Amino acid sequence: RYGWGVRWTSIINEKLGLQEYRVIEEGLCGRTTVFDDPFREGRRGTQLFPTLLETHRLLDCIVIMLGTNDCKTVYGASAGVIAKGVEKLIEQAQRFAKDTPILLNENSVAVSKGLAEEYRKVSEKYGLAFLNAADYAQPGAADREHLDEEGHQRLAEAVLHEIKNIIDKKNQ
């Protein structure tokens, strides 16, 4: 939806400095944690994540921001079920990128309002950093689902702050 310099991932990349770190964007419209979309192939996160982790091996930090698309009525999933899907992704990350710090980042809207608390519980269970994106950015007026430019900027600042904390702890 937005070009380089507007998306939160690219803002973080620029602020971290292209010399020292590189943010690898692997976002995909419609991606879920564990559900197969009957209308769009190749969207199940747990099917793709191990390949992505191996492709980008030797990561300094992993940011997981999935779950909003799991709220589609076609899946009928509760916040607790969606959180279990995120746990599967965390377990994959720990298996394929052992000892890489993870930031679990929740960003969404209805069923999803319960995700923040469920994701917080999951992050505590696995000893992960957690950020509730809704504390920093809200969906834009255009579709009331996706971030607008201002939302991307706010989210980038919040995620960047958490990533710097994670990297500082890792380097101690």
Side-chain angles (χ1 to χ4, degrees):
R1 291 179 28 121
Y2 292 110
W4 183 265
V6 177
R7 293 184 313 275
W8 66 273
T9 46
S10 65
I11 294 168
I12 291 171
N13 204 126
E14 289 177 354
K15 291 188 181 228
L16 282 175
L18 297 173
Q19 305 300 331
E20 192 172 350
Y21 294 101
R22 182 171 63 98
V23 175
I24 302 166
E25 297 177 287
E26 285 292 352
L28 177 65
C29 184
R31 183 173 288 155
T32 66
T33 58
V34 296
F35 299 108
D36 285 314
D37 188 320
F39 305 107
R40 300 176 91 178
E41 293 182 28
R43 296 302 196 267
R44 183 166 33 106
T46 53
Q47 182 179 29
L48 304 166
F49 200 37
T51 303
L52 296 174
L53 292 168
E54 285 191 57
T55 299
H56 304 299
R57 195 160 227 134
L58 301 176
L59 301 166
D60 291 303
C61 181
I62 297 169
V63 178
I64 298 175
M65 188 171 173
L66 280 176
T68 305
N69 291 312
D70 296 41
C71 295
K72 291 179 183 179
T73 56
V74 69
Y75 306 126
S78 67
V81 168
I82 295 168
K84 288 183 189 302
V86 167
E87 281 194 67
K88 290 276 191 196
L89 294 166
I90 291 166
E91 290 166 359
Q92 287 178 327
Q94 291 177 335
R95 196 166 52 251
F96 288 92
K98 194 175 181 134
D99 301 322
T100 302
I102 300 168
L103 170 61
L104 180 57
N105 186 8
E106 190 282 324
N107 178 37
S108 46
V109 282
V111 169
S112 65
K113 294 211 185 261
L115 285 177
E117 186 53 35
E118 294 297 326
Y119 281 21
R120 188 179 321 280
K121 290 176 192 174
V122 170
S123 68
E124 288 172 1
K125 177 179 177 180
Y126 288 88
L128 310 178
F130 173 76
L131 179 111
N132 182 1
D135 290 343
Y136 303 94
Q138 301 298 318
D143 65 7
R144 300 183 55 159
E145 180 182 354
H146 296 95
L147 297 176
D148 58 15
E149 291 182 27
E150 182 181 337
H152 277 275
Q153 182 67 40
R154 288 183 180 167
L155 182 59
E157 293 295 330
V159 173
L160 179 62
H161 178 75
E162 288 300 317
I163 288 173
K164 285 182 177 180
N165 286 341
I166 289 168
I167 291 171
D168 287 347
K169 286 180 186 174
K170 184 179 176 183
N171 291 334
Q172 289 181 354

